[in-house]
Amino acid sequence: MSKPDGLYRHPTRSEIIEQAIMEGHDADIPSNVGSLRQIPSNLPDDDLHPHQSLAIEADPEKGRAASLSSDDDATEEVAGEDPNIIFWDGPDDPQNPLNWSVLKKWGTVVIVSILTFLTPLASSMFAPGVPEVMRDFHSTSNMLSSFMVSVYVLGFAFGPLLIAPLSEMYGRLILYHGCTALFIVFTIAAAVSTNMSMFIVFRFFMGTFGGAPLVLGGGTIADLISREQRGTAMSVWMMGPTIGPCVGPIIGGFLIQAKGWRWAFYFVAIVAGACFIMAIFLMKETSAPVILERKTKRLRAETGNLKLRSKLASDLSPRDLFKFSIVRPVKMLFLSPICLIISVYIAITYTYLYILFTTFTGVYKNQYGWKGGIAGLSFLGLGVGCLIGQFICTNIGNRIASKHIKAGDFTPEHRLPVMAVGAPLLPVGFFLYGWSVQYGLHFMVPIVGTGLVGFSLLLVFMPAMTYLVDVFTVHAASAMAASTVSRSLFAALVPLSAEKMYAAMGYGWGNSLLGFVAVLFAPMPFLFIKYGERIRTRSTVKL
């Protein structure tokens, strides 16, 4: 059995940060390879060991630790001389998730990937059935017709803030099981709702608990798969958030036509229920700090030695975990100019997606006479565009970054050239979509327009998120949480006025307005490429 990556040698600073980001928390919270809070001062930055205290940099945008302080007890642990430290029983310990069988590892990855595909799919799957829901609940409010779709994303804003710190305390498995069970319960509740208020509340809780695989999935893959093989697993897992919301309406359109809108929810509940049953029998806890803490508690009880402690034990209280998970993102969002500007831009582009989700059915029904399952095909251009955008962004973006990393001159701003291509294309897509619909051109023209919108959205969204990771390093998870909250709030609330906008301005000028807003932000990646480093060096964010 090969030696698990990063666990039986000193992990580098970059490995600790990478692992923490994938697990969805900052690098001063213990991960499977330790944390930057626990590093000896006698090791250089690129050879840091996860067991001594560290004063994390006060300004996360500076990108390096401000000071290190040594600790005698920690030094003893680094030397491996403390018999009270509990760790794996050698490199082949079967309790270590990196030593699980290939079938067990990839079986877990498949289940998590299905859940990660299913919950974004559920966000938009019933969109073609909005007119039926409005009719059944005797409502004519355009605002409610939009909100019943986007309220799901409002749950995405709040769920992760609770799920992430809870997983650090209790492990991933109980969060997967608990959130999946509650997701199924609220999905069925939405399906049997008898009025609009019930339906909207249940949709909100679907989003709140449905966000668990998005929060926990990256960490689970990092727990199980070595760095050399992780790219494939991450590609499979990332397809869920990318194409799930676009595939959902296509499936939902035909299902709703055949069985009615309630079956869109029954379908999701059935698939989620099957995954839940598989997860109960096949999934095990993968978080190394939690596994080792349980092992430590068992050995304390067996030996009576209360001095035993896990090598990956956290010195953070539950209160601190919640504080870091909730307070830090808010501070970074409002006090860091980079985090604020990037998060607002991401929020606007993400909002565009849900404006389209909430209006596509009406647009193609009114302008092209599409009904039933055919209406769901209107989302096809958007989905294909997003898929191509993800492929281009992943390949070309990584090539550009790798080139500069090899040259030794890499800065976070080297993530932005791809974004600089996507930003100007976004308004073009809206102009093409809006005016082709306004003048009733062949349906393929607006489909191509929305495909260009989806393509450019991914070229903006993915580099922006990677840029936040590279800028904030140690506190990258907090920066991404700030972005998640802002974009989810925008996506839930802004589309409420979309129908009124189109009614007042028409599809041509209405979508042109969205395009003009995108034009205002189009220079942003160019400005950050030129001035981003200067802004970062002048930052005064204190966490």
Side-chain angles (χ1 to χ4, degrees):
M1 183 78 65
S2 62
K3 183 184 291 186
D5 182 56
L7 285 172
Y8 298 99
R9 59 177 174 78
H10 296 330
T12 65
R13 183 177 191 271
S14 62
E15 287 173 343
I16 295 174
I17 293 172
E18 177 189 348
Q19 183 83 9
I21 291 168
M22 294 194 69
E23 294 182 14
H25 56 71
D26 291 336
D28 56 351
I29 296 173
S31 68
N32 286 11
V33 293
S35 78
L36 292 181
R37 184 181 292 273
Q38 302 164 315
I39 297 175
S41 58
N42 59 336
L43 291 176
D45 263 2
D46 60 349
D47 189 25
L48 298 179
H49 190 281
H51 280 283
Q52 281 207 320
S53 61
L54 165 70
I56 299 298
E57 60 256 31
D59 185 348
E61 291 167 271
K62 297 297 190 292
R64 292 182 63 84
S67 63
L68 296 170
S69 61
S70 62
D71 181 281
D72 292 338
D73 291 337
T75 304
E76 191 174 35
E77 293 170 28
V78 171
E81 299 173 356
D82 191 341
N84 292 321
I85 298 300
I86 303 301
F87 198 45
W88 305 118
D89 297 331
D92 299 324
D93 188 345
Q95 292 187 68
N96 184 349
L98 285 170
N99 290 328
W100 290 358
S101 68
V102 172
L103 183 61
K104 189 175 181 180
K105 286 183 182 181
W106 285 97
T108 301
V109 170
V110 168
I111 294 173
V112 172
S113 297
I114 293 174
L115 288 173
T116 309
F117 175 79
L118 185 63
T119 52
L121 178 141
S123 71
S124 60
M125 185 172 178
F126 93 105
V130 167
E132 290 188 24
V133 179
M134 299 293 288
R135 185 188 64 237
D136 287 357
F137 292 151
H138 310 290
S139 175
T140 59
S141 170
N142 289 331
M143 181 176 292
L144 286 178
S145 70
S146 298
F147 191 55
M148 69 171 69
V149 177
S150 61
V151 69
Y152 190 95
V153 187
L154 194 61
F156 278 1
F158 297 100
L161 295 178
L162 297 176
I163 292 170
L166 287 174
S167 69
E168 305 306 323
M169 291 184 283
Y170 303 110
R172 308 192 209 287
L173 190 64
I174 190 172
L175 268 299
Y176 275 122
H177 290 342
C179 289
T180 302
L182 290 170
F183 174 74
I184 294 169
V185 167
F186 286 112
T187 301
I188 295 172
V192 299
S193 298
T194 57
N195 60 62
M196 185 67 75
S197 298
M198 290 175 59
F199 181 77
I200 288 176
V201 169
F202 293 144
R203 280 276 293 173
F204 170 77
F205 284 113
M206 281 178 64
T208 300
F209 296 108
L214 299 171
V215 177
L216 304 174
T220 299
I221 291 173
D223 293 341
L224 294 169
I225 310 298
S226 65
R227 298 179 81 195
E228 292 78 12
Q229 299 176 316
R230 199 173 290 166
T232 301
M234 287 299 295
S235 298
V236 173
W237 177 69
M238 281 298 295
M239 289 182 69
T242 303
I243 68 173
C246 302
V247 171
I250 299 174
I251 300 173
F254 291 100
L255 181 61
I256 290 166
Q257 182 181 25
K259 291 289 188 179
W261 67 267
R262 297 182 190 272
W263 266 95
F265 293 91
Y266 289 139
F267 172 83
V268 171
I270 290 169
V271 177
C275 290
F276 180 60
I277 293 172
M278 287 192 295
I280 290 291
F281 289 102
L282 300 178
M283 288 182 68
K284 304 294 182 184
E285 181 58 63
T286 64
S287 173
V290 173
I291 295 172
L292 289 171
E293 188 60 35
R294 291 173 182 173
K295 177 181 179 180
T296 302
K297 289 180 180 179
R298 185 179 71 251
L299 291 175
R300 284 188 197 128
E302 292 174 358
T303 64
N305 183 0
L306 300 181
K307 294 182 179 180
L308 296 177
R309 62 190 183 95
S310 166
K311 190 173 184 179
L312 299 179
S314 174
D315 61 347
L316 298 174
S317 66
R319 180 178 178 180
D320 285 337
L321 284 173
F322 274 102
K323 181 180 70 173
F324 293 155
S325 297
I326 295 174
V327 176
R328 267 186 185 170
V330 174
K331 290 180 68 176
M332 294 179 75
L333 182 62
F334 291 106
L335 299 180
S336 165
I338 285 182
C339 188
L340 176 61
I341 296 171
I342 292 288
S343 295
V344 169
Y345 192 26
I346 291 174
I348 290 172
T349 56
Y350 195 68
T351 300
Y352 286 163
L353 197 61
Y354 278 85
I355 289 176
L356 297 179
F357 285 158
T358 57
T359 59
F360 264 175
T361 303
V363 168
Y364 282 87
K365 179 181 178 181
N366 296 333
Q367 299 297 100
Y368 295 96
W370 290 13
K371 298 179 181 179
I374 299 299
L377 296 177
S378 61
F379 293 80
L380 193 59
L382 192 64
V384 171
C386 287
L387 196 59
I388 296 173
Q390 181 183 13
F391 177 80
I392 295 293
C393 190
T394 300
N395 284 273
I396 296 182
N398 287 346
R399 287 181 186 178
I400 294 173
S402 297
K403 175 184 175 182
H404 288 282
I405 290 172
K406 290 179 180 178
D409 62 350
F410 176 79
T411 66
E413 286 69 35
H414 287 124
R415 297 288 187 184
L416 299 180
V418 174
M419 189 179 180
V421 174
L425 290 178
L426 184 56
V428 175
F430 273 106
F431 296 147
L432 179 60
Y433 166 63
W435 289 107
S436 61
V437 168
Q438 181 73 32
Y439 288 109
L441 301 183
H442 189 276
F443 69 84
M444 277 304 299
V445 181
I447 291 291
V448 170
T450 56
L452 185 58
V453 169
F455 175 76
S456 54
L457 282 177
L458 263 291
L459 261 60
V460 169
F461 184 82
M462 292 185 67
M465 295 300 291
T466 308
Y467 181 65
L468 286 178
V469 170
D470 286 336
V471 168
F472 292 97
T473 57
V474 174
H475 298 114
S478 289
M480 294 176 73
S483 174
T484 298
V485 171
S486 60
R487 76 171 187 257
S488 298
L489 289 173
F490 271 57
L493 300 177
V494 173
L496 301 183
S497 58
E499 292 285 359
K500 289 185 177 180
M501 177 186 70
Y502 287 138
M505 304 180 67
Y507 295 120
W509 284 113
N511 284 290
S512 293
L513 176 61
L514 301 180
F516 291 141
V517 174
V519 168
L520 291 177
F521 278 87
M524 194 273 291
F526 298 95
L527 294 175
F528 269 82
I529 289 173
K530 185 172 183 179
Y531 300 109
E533 187 171 3
R534 189 181 307 175
I535 296 173
R536 287 189 286 111
T537 55
R538 295 180 179 179
S539 171
T540 57
V541 180
K542 306 296 181 183
L543 296 180

